[in-house]
């Protein structure tokens, strides 16, 4: 039986279709989840895709954090369910308290849309075991609120505990502290990143297929639980 990975759609989500396609590319079943429902439909993992949930009014991700489905995601994450937040999904995970820090406007206040090199800093999470540590991967990024910030004590904690998962390589595009592009939770089951792995699953349509490793990694992690 294939792993069942839920993909949440909020009003304003843009990349749920691509995230579901990435899940299917990794030989898992993509299960659509709706923001107003608390039922996670028995999924084994969850992807919170990018976009502009609820129009990103007030602050990116802050309204989505209170959606009924997020109550269930938070509870499941605390019980060890793998959760991946991409771009707006990363912002929502920070607002929900599943990941520390916050995202502010990019340095220069410009929307950035480009292919971006990332260095894999930690391959010991539910979403990164398919990568070699220090490998550089190329995936697209597109955001305006992508500058990761946190108090110095939090940055020291993330660095000291090896919880920086991805770091920008070849230049920091948005002013993120310590060049941070993605981080993980204490237990390594929850990962958030600003660039979009779901847009790099096939060399025919993306700059690479480097993003597919995240989805295969989750399937691997879930298969270990099923044994």
């Amino acid at each position: 039986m294939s792993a069942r990975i839920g993909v949440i759609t909020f009003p304003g989500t843009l990349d749920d279709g691509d995230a579901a396609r990435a899940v299917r590319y990794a030989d898992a079943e993509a299960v659509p989840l709706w923001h107003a429902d608390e039922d996670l439909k028995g999924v084994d993992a969850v992807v919170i895709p990018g976009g502009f949930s609820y129009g990103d009014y007030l602050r990116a991700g802050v309204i989505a954090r209170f959606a009924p489905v997020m109550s269930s995601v938070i509870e499941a994450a605390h019980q060890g369910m793998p959760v991946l937040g991409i771009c707006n999904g990363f912002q929502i995970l920070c607002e929900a308290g599943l990941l520390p820090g916050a995202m502010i406007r990019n340095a220069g206040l410009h929307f950035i849309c480009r292919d971006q090199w990332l260095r894999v800093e930690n391959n010991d999470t539910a979403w990164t075991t398919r990568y070699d540590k220090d490998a550089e991967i190329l995936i697209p990024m597109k955001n305006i609120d992508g500058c990761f910030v946190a108090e110095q004590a939090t940055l020291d904690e993330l660095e000291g505990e090896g919880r920086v998962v991805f770091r920008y390589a070849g230049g920091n595009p948005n002013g993120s502290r310590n060049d941070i592009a993605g981080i993980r939770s204490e237990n390594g089951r929850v990962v958030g990143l600003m660039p979009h792995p779901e847009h790099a699953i096939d060399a025919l349509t993306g700059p690479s297929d480097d993003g597919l490793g995240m989805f295969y990694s989750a399937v691997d992690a879930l298969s270990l639980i099923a044994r």
Side-chain angles (χ1 to χ4, degrees):
M1 181 179 295
S2 62
R4 303 178 75 247
I5 300 179
V7 179
I8 300 176
T9 299
F10 299 93
T13 295
L14 300 176
D15 301 309
D16 43 347
D18 293 276
R21 185 180 301 111
V23 168
R24 292 192 293 270
Y25 262 56
D27 299 323
E29 178 185 355
V31 180
L33 300 175
W34 183 236
H35 71 110
D37 295 332
E38 295 184 2
D39 183 10
L40 294 184
K41 301 181 181 178
V43 297
D44 305 302
V46 166
V47 175
I48 306 177
F52 300 92
S53 57
Y54 302 97
D56 274 353
Y57 293 119
L58 300 181
R59 188 172 63 241
V62 69
I63 300 177
R65 174 261 178 271
F66 294 101
V69 72
M70 284 306 299
S71 296
S72 301
V73 170
I74 292 169
E75 180 180 355
H78 286 313
Q79 295 174 354
M81 175 180 283
V83 179
L84 177 67
I86 303 168
C87 195
N88 194 225
F90 186 12
Q91 296 160 343
I92 293 169
L93 292 177
C94 291
E95 293 290 344
L98 289 175
L99 292 173
M103 251 66 66
I104 62 174
R105 285 290 163 100
N106 296 330
L109 306 181
H110 292 297
F111 189 95
I112 297 174
C113 184
R114 56 186 278 187
D115 297 332
Q116 176 66 45
W117 286 100
L118 305 178
R119 185 169 60 253
V120 179
E121 297 283 344
N122 187 311
N123 63 349
D124 190 24
T125 81
W127 299 93
T128 56
T129 53
R130 285 285 184 124
Y131 299 108
D132 293 328
K133 188 177 184 306
D134 297 325
E136 293 193 356
I137 61 175
L138 182 64
I139 62 177
M141 66 181 299
K142 49 181 180 127
N143 61 69
I144 190 169
D145 296 306
C147 177
F148 179 78
V149 295
E151 295 181 351
Q152 189 59 50
T154 300
L155 292 172
D156 292 343
E157 183 176 292
L158 290 171
E159 297 285 359
E161 296 180 357
R163 291 171 57 190
V164 176
V165 179
F166 300 107
R167 215 182 295 272
Y168 294 114
N172 184 335
N174 54 22
S176 288
R177 304 298 185 267
N178 295 13
D179 300 335
I180 289 174
I183 58 175
R184 68 165 173 82
S185 59
E186 291 183 10
N187 66 4
R189 310 293 283 179
V190 180
V191 169
L193 78 163
M194 286 310 296
H196 288 258
E198 79 280 16
H199 295 325
I201 62 169
D202 190 321
L204 180 64
T205 56
S208 71
D209 61 358
D210 292 344
L212 194 55
M214 288 181 220
F215 300 92
Y216 272 127
S217 295
V219 171
D220 291 346
L222 294 170
S223 68
L224 292 175
I225 295 174
R227 289 177 184 172

